[in-house]
Amino acid sequence: MKKENKSVVLWLLLGCVLVFVMVVVGGITRLTNSGLSMTDWHLITDTFPPLTDAKWQAAFDQYKQFPEYQKINSLNGFTLSDYKFIYFWEWFHRLIGRVIGLVFMVPFVYFLVQKKIDNPTRKKCYILLGMGALQGFFGWFMVKSGLIDNPDVSHFRLSLHLTFAFVTFAYTLWVALDLIYPTRNEVLVPMKRLARITLVFLLLQIIYGGFVAGLNAGLIHNHWPLMSDGQFIHETVFIEQKTLFLNLVEGKSGVQFVHRTVAYIVVGLILLLFFKSKAYTLSKEQQTGLNALVALVFLQFTLGVFTLLYSVPLWLGLTHQIVAFLLLTAMTYTLHRFSK
C-alpha cells in the first residue's frame, strides 16, 4: 500500500465497520419487531428521540394509528414502556445511517480538496455515494410497506434492503483492497471464475436469508436434516401458493427449503474452491482467504442449523447474520486476491 493512500484506506475501512454495525443493529431491529415503530421519516427532526413525556405520548399515539399496533400489539397489553424499547432500536438504526453519511461525505470532500484520491478511486467513491443514498431509499421503501394494511414489511423489500447493505459493504471493501494491493499479479483464471460463481450463490443465500426473515419462515419445520419427521422436502413446499415459482419466493415452506438447499451448494462450492486451489502455487493472501472461507462457511452452516432447531432465538439469529457478514468479507477478499 502506498503511503499516500493510507488515510483513504483507513477511511474506507471505517466505512466498512460502520456498515457492519448498522447491519447488526438492523438485525436486532428486525428480530425485536422494532422496524415499524417510527411511522414517518424526517431527516432533521428524527435525529433525537422524543425528549419529553408529552412528545413520547404523541409519538405513541401516532404509532397507534398504524396496522402493527391495531392488529397485533393492541391485543397484547402493549404499553408506552414497550413502545420506547422498540422505538430505540429503529431510531438507533437510522442514527447510524446518518453517521455513515457524515463519515463518508466530510472526509471525501477533504480528500477531493487535498487531491488525495486518484481518478479511478474517485469514480468508485461516487458509486459508493450513490449506493449509500439508494440504501436510505430502500430503508424507507421497506418500512412504508408495513404501514398501509399489512403489519409486516414486505419480505421482498426487507431482503432488498438487507442484501444491498451487504453489497455496499463488499464494494467498499473491494475499493479499499484495490488501494491496499496496488500491484497487479498474474490472475488465476479458473480460480477467479469459480470464486465468482461462489459469490453469486452466496449472494443468493443472503437474499433468501432476507426472505426467511421477512416471512418468519424459520419458525416452521424446525428439524434437520429433514424438514419434518421422515420428509426431506415437506409437502407444503409445493402447495402453499398457486404456482411452483410463487411457492419458492412467497411460501414459507418453499423459501425455507431453498435457503436450506443453497446452504449445501455454498458449502460445496467453497470446498471445491479450496481443493481446486491445491493445483496452484498460492500467495499467502490467497491461502489465508481460502482458509477463512472454509472455517467460516462451516461455522455459518452450524449456526444456521441450530438457529432453525431452536426456532430463531434473538442471539442465535443475530449471530447467524453476523457470521454471514464475515463470510461475505472472506469471499470478497478471496475473489479480490484471485482477480488482481
Side-chain angles (χ1 to χ4, degrees):
M1 178 174 59
K2 296 178 181 179
K3 186 177 180 180
E4 58 269 26
N5 288 334
K6 186 175 180 180
S7 57
V8 177
V9 169
L10 290 174
W11 165 61
L12 290 169
L13 293 180
L14 175 60
C16 288
V17 170
L18 288 173
V19 173
F20 170 74
V21 171
M22 189 169 187
V23 169
V24 171
V25 174
I28 297 173
T29 302
R30 172 178 54 80
L31 290 167
T32 56
N33 296 314
S34 302
L36 297 177
S37 58
M38 296 177 69
T39 55
D40 53 15
W41 198 288
H42 301 293
L43 185 62
I44 304 300
T45 57
D46 286 349
T47 303
F48 300 100
L51 299 178
T52 65
D53 291 341
K55 289 183 178 180
W56 270 117
Q57 189 61 52
F60 189 32
D61 289 341
Q62 185 175 10
Y63 172 71
K64 290 179 180 180
Q65 300 173 25
F66 291 89
E68 183 176 74
Y69 178 81
Q70 294 173 350
K71 297 182 179 182
I72 299 176
N73 287 335
S74 64
L75 306 176
N76 300 322
F78 195 78
T79 66
L80 178 59
S81 178
D82 297 321
Y83 176 67
K84 288 181 178 181
F85 174 79
I86 65 172
Y87 186 101
F88 168 79
W89 286 112
E90 175 62 12
W91 166 79
F92 191 37
H93 186 55
R94 296 188 188 190
L95 178 65
I96 295 171
R98 291 178 170 86
V99 171
I100 291 174
L102 288 174
V103 168
F104 183 85
M105 285 302 301
V106 174
F108 182 47
V109 171
Y110 170 77
F111 290 140
L112 286 177
V113 171
Q114 295 296 318
K115 297 182 179 179
K116 288 180 174 285
I117 302 180
D118 58 35
N119 192 50
T121 304
R122 183 169 64 251
K123 291 178 179 178
K124 295 170 189 174
C125 288
Y126 284 131
I127 293 174
L128 283 174
L129 179 62
M131 293 176 76
L134 192 56
Q135 178 67 349
F137 168 77
F138 287 153
W140 168 83
F141 186 58
M142 176 189 69
V143 169
K144 186 179 179 182
S145 67
L147 297 176
I148 303 173
D149 297 313
N150 192 343
D152 289 311
V153 299
S154 161
H155 69 288
F156 292 116
R157 297 187 188 188
L158 185 150
S159 186
L160 175 64
H161 186 50
L162 175 67
T163 304
F164 199 72
F166 276 75
V167 171
T168 302
F169 166 85
Y171 187 67
T172 306
L173 179 60
W174 190 277
V175 175
L177 290 171
D178 279 345
L179 297 175
I180 294 171
Y181 301 104
T183 304
R184 290 180 174 269
N185 298 319
E186 182 180 355
V187 176
L188 299 176
V189 176
M191 294 296 295
K192 175 183 176 181
R193 288 174 178 170
L194 183 55
R196 281 181 170 178
I197 293 171
T198 305
L199 176 61
V200 169
F201 276 94
L202 179 56
L203 288 174
L204 177 63
Q205 183 68 337
I206 291 169
I207 290 170
Y208 264 85
F211 287 175
V212 169
L215 291 171
N216 291 318
L219 302 179
I220 60 173
H221 309 314
N222 301 108
H223 303 268
W224 186 84
L226 306 178
M227 290 187 74
S228 66
D229 293 334
Q231 291 182 306
F232 181 75
I233 305 177
H234 198 272
E235 67 267 12
T236 53
V237 168
F238 305 106
I239 63 175
E240 274 190 74
Q241 304 293 327
K242 295 180 179 180
T243 66
L244 177 61
F245 175 75
L246 288 178
N247 273 306
L248 298 182
V249 298
E250 293 188 4
K252 291 184 179 182
S253 295
V255 163
Q256 190 195 109
F257 172 71
V258 173
H259 196 52
R260 284 172 175 254
T261 303
V262 177
Y264 291 115
I265 295 173
V266 170
V267 171
L269 285 170
I270 288 177
L271 287 177
L272 179 60
L273 195 63
F274 181 79
F275 288 112
K276 189 178 180 66
S277 72
K278 301 301 180 183
Y280 303 95
T281 301
L282 303 182
S283 68
K284 180 181 178 182
E285 292 85 2
Q286 290 168 339
Q287 190 63 60
T288 298
L290 287 171
N291 291 343
L293 272 179
V294 172
L296 286 167
V297 79
F298 277 110
L299 175 60
Q300 178 67 343
F301 189 91
T302 303
L303 285 169
V305 169
F306 281 101
T307 301
L308 183 64
L309 292 177
Y310 288 97
S311 302
V312 200
L314 174 61
W315 73 272
L316 259 179
L318 186 59
T319 304
H320 188 49
Q321 183 167 302
I322 289 172
V323 177
F325 214 98
L326 298 178
L327 183 59
L328 180 63
T329 303
M331 187 71 251
T332 303
Y333 178 83
T334 303
L335 176 59
H336 190 277
R337 291 297 75 223
F338 280 117
S339 299
K340 297 187 178 183

